[in-house]
Amino acid sequence: MIVHSTDGPVNRELDAGGTAVWYWLTTLSSEADADLIEAVLSDDERERRSRLRHVPDRRDFGAAHALLRTTLSGYAPEIAPRDWRFERNAFGKPAIVAGQAGRPALTFSLTHTGGIVACAVARGPDVGIDVERTGRVTDPAAIAHRYFAASECEQLAACSAEEYPMRFVEFWTLKEAYVKALGRGLSLPLASFAFEFDGASGLRCHPHDGAVGWHFHLSSLAADVRLAVATRGEGDEGAQGSHVSFHCMRTSGPRLELLRSG
């Protein structure tokens, strides 16, 4: 389901096992948006933002973390956006502190690239999200042969020169979303799991450990942008994890098109 909203996630319900994705085109940000960002960022986030050299990077960093904080408060309105507190696991994956996460635990993943920020929020399932533009990697074939699974390299080799850059980005976003959902960072070799495009809209994953309960969604935000979402649940949550809703923070933002799921 794709929903476009101008109001943000205010007092919304998030079913156990369901995932909500919110995205924002930061190049359309207003002065009011800048004020909102400053009002909700933590001191640590402001300090981390200040280390970034380029203005667009600082803009996207602030917008991404403000989007996450306001989105979380939309599903847990008893906590103000600025009051959310986070911790990291041994591999660096951020999570809400136990006293705020609730039951089932509220989980999230955050991503941004060149003027687009997005977050995925769920209750129960592990979740990962990634968004990328084409053209950022100068030699995608070299990256693929070094890091991708052999079967993925074979699929890329079957692409035309025009198709190759986008298919590479599609594989990359899916793999990043998977790794983010697992929360193991670079400790998991990217070649230890593989994705397979099935027909016009199908998608298959071969997990590194053969686990079941995974669901993936690959979407287009623009001709040169792909967004991937990975969710993993257990038992009933594994079945419910296939439901993902997509929401845009501005009606003037890009319209998302779901390309593949599996």
Side-chain angles (χ1 to χ4, degrees):
M1 176 174 61
I2 301 175
V3 181
H4 291 265
S5 171
T6 58
D7 299 324
V10 179
N11 296 332
R12 292 180 177 269
E13 295 293 328
L14 189 61
D15 295 333
T19 301
V21 172
W22 287 84
Y23 61 98
W24 183 5
L25 190 68
T26 58
T27 53
L28 300 178
S29 298
S30 65
E31 290 186 9
D33 293 325
D35 292 340
L36 169 66
I37 291 170
E38 293 306 313
V40 303
L41 291 184
S42 68
D43 292 339
D44 174 69
E45 288 163 345
R46 289 195 183 91
E47 196 278 329
R48 288 160 58 198
R49 181 182 60 180
S50 70
R51 299 179 205 160
L52 301 174
R53 296 179 56 187
H54 303 294
V55 172
D57 292 338
R58 294 197 295 272
R59 175 201 64 201
D60 290 351
F61 179 94
H65 287 269
L67 174 64
L68 173 64
R69 288 177 171 275
T70 55
T71 298
L72 290 175
S73 290
Y75 296 106
E78 68 276 9
I79 301 175
R82 201 176 191 282
D83 292 339
W84 288 99
R85 293 181 293 117
F86 307 101
E87 58 189 6
R88 293 180 181 272
N89 68 10
F91 300 101
K93 180 182 179 178
I96 301 166
V97 296
Q100 293 182 333
R103 290 183 179 274
L106 197 59
T107 61
F108 71 87
S109 184
L110 187 64
T111 185
H112 56 84
T113 186
I116 297 174
V117 301
C119 67
V121 179
R123 276 208 181 274
D126 296 322
V127 61
I129 188 171
D130 190 56
V131 62
E132 299 288 346
R133 290 184 183 272
T134 58
R136 299 186 65 191
V137 177
T138 56
D139 192 352
I143 298 295
H145 281 94
R146 182 173 182 181
Y147 295 108
F148 286 9
S151 62
E152 294 168 334
C153 291
E154 291 173 1
Q155 292 175 76
L156 283 167
C159 294
S160 67
E162 293 75 20
E163 296 171 331
Y164 195 106
M166 182 53 70
R167 185 51 52 90
F168 170 85
V169 167
E170 291 174 344
F171 275 125
W172 186 266
T173 54
L174 286 164
K175 292 173 87 67
E176 281 285 314
Y178 177 86
V179 169
K180 283 183 168 183
L182 283 172
R184 290 180 49 181
L186 297 178
S187 69
L188 182 69
L190 294 180
S192 66
F193 60 95
F195 288 92
E196 177 185 349
F197 292 149
D198 185 14
S201 60
L203 181 63
R204 295 179 183 175
C205 177
H206 304 280
H208 71 288
D209 57 359
V212 297
W214 281 101
H215 300 279
F216 299 90
H217 296 76
L218 178 66
S219 304
S220 169
L221 277 172
D224 64 337
V225 179
R226 293 294 184 266
L227 181 148
V229 181
T231 58
R232 180 183 65 167
E234 298 179 358
D236 291 340
E237 288 176 4
Q240 294 170 357
S242 60
H243 173 71
V244 178
S245 60
F246 297 87
H247 313 261
C248 181
M249 289 293 287
R250 297 289 182 269
T251 54
S252 58
R255 298 281 163 161
L256 182 145
E257 177 186 0
L258 182 62
L259 300 178
R260 294 177 179 271
S261 60

